[in-house]
Every structure is written in structure tokens, then in C-alpha cells.
Amino acid sequence: MEIEKSILDKVNIWLSPVFDSETHNAIKEMMTSSPKELEESFYKNLEFGTGGMRGIMGPGTNRINKYTLGKATQGLSDYLKISFPGEEIKVAIAYDCRHNSDTLAKTVADVFSANGIKVFLFSELRPTPELSFALKYLNCHSGIVLTASHNPPEYNGYKVYWQDGGQLVPPHDKEVINIIEALPYDKIKFEANESLIEYVGDEMDKAFIQSSLQNATFNTPQEAKNELKIVFTPLHGTSVKLIPDLLEDAGYSNVHIVAEQAVPNGDFPTVKSPNPEEPEALSMAIALADQVNADIVVGTDPDSDRLGVAVRNGNGIMTLLNGNQTMVLMTHFLLEQWKKQGKLKGNEFVGSTIVSTPMMMELASAYNVECKVGLTGFKWIAKMIVDFPEKQFIGGGEESFGFMVGDAVRDKDAVTSTLLLCEMAAQAKANASSLYQELLKLYVEFGFYKEYLISLTKKGMDGAEEIKQIMNGLRENPLKEISGLRVVMVEDYLASTALNLFTDEKEVLNLPKSDVLIYYLEDGTKICARPSGTEPKIKFYFSANEMLNDVKNFKAVETALDAKIKNIIEAMNLI
């Protein structure tokens, strides 16, 4: 195949003496045996998405390697010096169980130290939320996590955090990216100043566990804790470093860990994908739960920022909850606890995202608490805490199985959320209820919101173009009717406009630009389309709702909502 000149120009730069012989040899091998792979490796530069910079490991500008991460770190170092002149700049670095995460983390630490920046590097793999906590605990200016979350084994990634403990947001993100893109590879300083690198571990673990205990325990009687049977799986990831100790310190002794998935392993050998959104990922945990008659199953993704949950339904069968359901349950529990403790003063808020369940608005309204809604990605919820210092943050979540309890951590936190869920489950069981029954009660009180997600995978350069064309088509030929239901409103977050199709009135959306389209139908159904910021996918989110006047009618209403969503999906030719 013929390779474009622009790609060959990049390849030739990577064959210069700036890059090592291992890189040269790998590129030459691709040139002769796999020109398509060479094209995929160089056709663009890795971009910062909703979860930082994430990609396949290997040589090239579109790959995760010592040079792409070295360049990002050099650019960040230069920006930190501009942002904090005259200060002793400090950064924290953590990494997960993925292949090369430890060596890449050391490379990142080397570049920071070579630039005269003090580095706190975790001595072993640790959960992502602990990095956010450590950054604030150590008064650092920035932080890095080497992780690709739940992506396949060939991936790794680079998440950047700022002084507040949250991920990079405007204006810092764009300013850092501009510096990185303008930086030549020969300007990367790889020679470490080892005296500036300090290793951290056990002391930080203890501090983080203590913080989780403070934020996620709510006077659950010890007897209730003893009665709760828990199955936990880290899915070969980092949470095994903290969650067993956290649950023990909190008084939960009846914990069963899935032994086959308890050892960190970047190959994730027992699952197709270490993604708690996928039912298959928790199949071994559910089998163990049935064996020991557990009440709740919790599984975390490799870097332990997201969690999947299964509970027993009304027939005693283990049932997976989706991210919207766990978010609603946890938010309601926190609101109720704050109310009982007299902590609701009128200046509190919870956080959510534009693709998550509208039920969050109903919950917040019932407690006279504001629900702030941001773009997809937890960095926007963390930014709310910074932007509104006069307001008290209670908690917040997003549909993709992430939740944050309080503001000690400024990112989604499966560690603290696991403890919160156990507190909720223990109290429910002690009151002759369950998390499943509590969810149905919420549907009766606030309306039954049913959500569904379709993810279409489109890999590589051709896939990226296909995703672009799908979004362009939706913009150029906007849907005015779907499955017999009229479209009332179209929100285009790339154009920052909300158009009422009934009145032709157009409003300005006050969130940052993002490649997202949301359709609102006349019956309250919500449909969202967006390309993933971390995976080669385009995602379609569906939310339909009906009143539920009695728990006994749950199945009938659920069946009707499922049928409605199915008809909409068929009308949009998505299946």
C-alpha cells in the first residue's frame, strides 16, 4: 500500500538519532511487514480526551511510548514552571497493573526530576483515586496516573491532574496541549535527578483509608455489618491494594474475594474485558455470590475508579445494576443522611453529566439541593467544586459506573464508593429490605427512569472517519421524528446551541464545546449521541420514563419502557 507523505515525514523523524535503536528496529519492521500498522501508528498525534491520553502501546505519534509520554511530561513541566514561578514545584505519580505502567511511570518521573521538579512516585501500583487524594495531601501542583482504565491489554494511558486534585480542564488543558504540540522530541530531558524522586506507599494508604472511612460510614450497627455477605473482585486490578483493608477497618468481616481475579495482571486472563459495564466481567463474582449466598457483588475496573454492582432482586436472583441505578441509589442515600444529620443548609449540590439519568434532577429537587450538570467526564464534576467554592459538594456520578463521595478525592472513586454501597446494603438488610427494593421505592417516589446504552466500535483511522461522518449526518440532517414521536429540542454542544423545533427558538448552551448531540422527544424521552473520548467508539444513550404508582407494577412498566427504547433504536437503524 502507498503511505501518505505526511505520515512518512513523521516516520523519518522517528528514525533519526533522537530515538533509540529499539524504536528504529520496530518501525523498520512495520515498514516491511505491516504498512497498515505503520500508518495507524503515525497518522495522527495522540489526543487528550475525556479521560486523558489513551492509546495502544508501541512506537509512533499515535501510540503510548516513552517518547509520546516524555514529550507530554516535558510540556507539562514547562507549563508548571510558567504557572508557578518561584515555587518549589511538586508532582505525584501513580500507575496501575497494565504492562509497562511501572517503567513508563518511572520515565515520567525521570523527566519531571530532570526539569528540577520534586516527584512523589508510588512504589507499587495503586488505584487512581488515591493519586487524586495524594496530590492534595502532599500539596502537589500536578499529578499523573499511568492507566488505560478498562481498555484491552494492549492499551495504556496518561491522565493529568491539577492542583485541586481534579483532571486538567480549561484553560490549563489547551495551554498545556499547545506547549506539548510545539515541543520537538530532542528537547525532552530524560536524565533523571534521582535526589528529587521520593517513593510513597503505606503511609498514603493509611491516610486514604482514613479519609474513606470518614466520608462513607454512616452509623451502621456492627450487627448489620456482620450480617452482610459481600463478594468483591478487583478484576486483576489495583483495588485489591485498598478495598479489602478498607472493608476490614470499617467492620465488614464477611467478605469473599474472587481468588482467580485477585492478583494484578495486565493480561486480564479471566475476562474478555475488565470493564464493570460488561455483564461478563462480573460473571465469576456472581457465581461465587450464589455459592456463598452473598447479598452484594462489587467489581472494580483495573485502576479502581469505576465499579459494577450486582444485588439480589425480588426473586433472590443476582441482578446487575447499571451506572445510573447505582448513582441514583448512592445519591439518594447521601441526601437522606445529610438531611438526618441536619447538614442541609441550602447551599449544597450534587453533580451529574449530560448523558446521565435525568432522575438525578428529581432527587436533588426533592431535598432542595441543586443538581449541577456538566459534560461527560468526571473532570467536569471536579471543576464544579472549584468553580463554586461557596457551595458544599455532597456527591456525584455519571452513567459510566463512576461516583464520587464528598470532595476529598476529585475524581470518580470506586474505593470509597464500595464502602458506601456496603453501608447502604447493610442498613437495608437490617431493615428487612435490600438495595433492589430501595431502588424500586425510588422509582415509585420520583418516577421510573429506564436507561440503555449502545456502543458501536469503529477502530483505526477508517473508524475515526466513520464516526465523524455519523455525527456530521446527524447534524446536517437532524431527526425531526423518531418512532412516531416528535423531536421537541435538539442540543448541539459543538455549536453550543439548543434549538426548539416547535418554536424555532434557539438558546446558547453555556458549557464548553463538545462533540455531543442530544434529542428530546415529546414524551420526555432523551437520546444522546457522542464519540467516546477514550475508546474507538460512538455511543448512543437512551433514557425513557413513566410514572410507577406501585412496586407491583414494576415489571409491566419496565417492559413498556424497554419496548419504547427498542422501537426508537430500530427507527434510528442502530441495530
Side-chain angles (χ1 to χ4, degrees), residues 261-337:
Q261 298 175 331
V263 178
N265 187 332
D267 287 324
F268 313 114
T270 65
V271 292
K272 292 178 182 177
S273 168
N275 184 354
E277 288 183 82
E278 303 289 342
E280 184 272 339
L282 294 186
S283 60
M284 293 182 73
I286 289 174
L288 179 58
D290 287 336
Q291 183 181 328
V292 301
N293 195 29
D295 301 294
I296 185 171
V297 166
V298 177
T300 57
D301 66 345
D303 68 325
S304 193
D305 60 354
R306 302 187 312 135
L307 75 169
V309 180
V311 297
R312 296 206 178 275
N313 67 14
N315 297 318
I317 298 170
M318 270 291 166
T319 302
L320 292 165
L321 302 180
N322 63 41
N324 286 300
Q325 290 171 322
T326 55
M327 171 174 60
V328 164
L329 279 166
M330 287 191 279
T331 301
H332 179 262
F333 183 82
L334 288 174
L335 288 168
E336 188 63 23
Q337 296 301 317

Side-chain angles (χ1 to χ4, degrees), residues 224-276:
K225 295 178 182 181
N226 295 341
E227 288 296 316
L228 187 71
K229 291 184 180 179
I230 304 162
V231 165
F232 161 66
T233 175
L235 295 178
H236 303 289
T238 59
S239 64
V240 74
K241 291 286 187 181
L242 287 183
I243 286 180
D245 289 342
L246 173 62
L247 292 179
E248 182 180 354
D249 288 355
Y252 291 93
S253 57
N254 207 341
V255 180
H256 303 265
I257 301 175
V258 179
E260 300 91 335
Q261 298 175 331
V263 178
N265 187 332
D267 287 324
F268 313 114
T270 65
V271 292
K272 292 178 182 177
S273 168
N275 184 354

Side-chain angles (χ1 to χ4, degrees), residues 359 437-449 546-554 557:
M359 190 172 173
Q437 289 173 279
E438 294 302 307
L439 180 63
L440 299 193
K441 291 177 186 175
L442 294 182
Y443 287 151
V444 171
E445 186 173 356
F446 299 103
F448 184 3
Y449 287 78
E546 290 283 353
M547 295 305 297
L548 179 64
N549 55 19
D550 194 305
V551 168
K552 295 176 183 177
N553 299 326
F554 170 73
V557 176

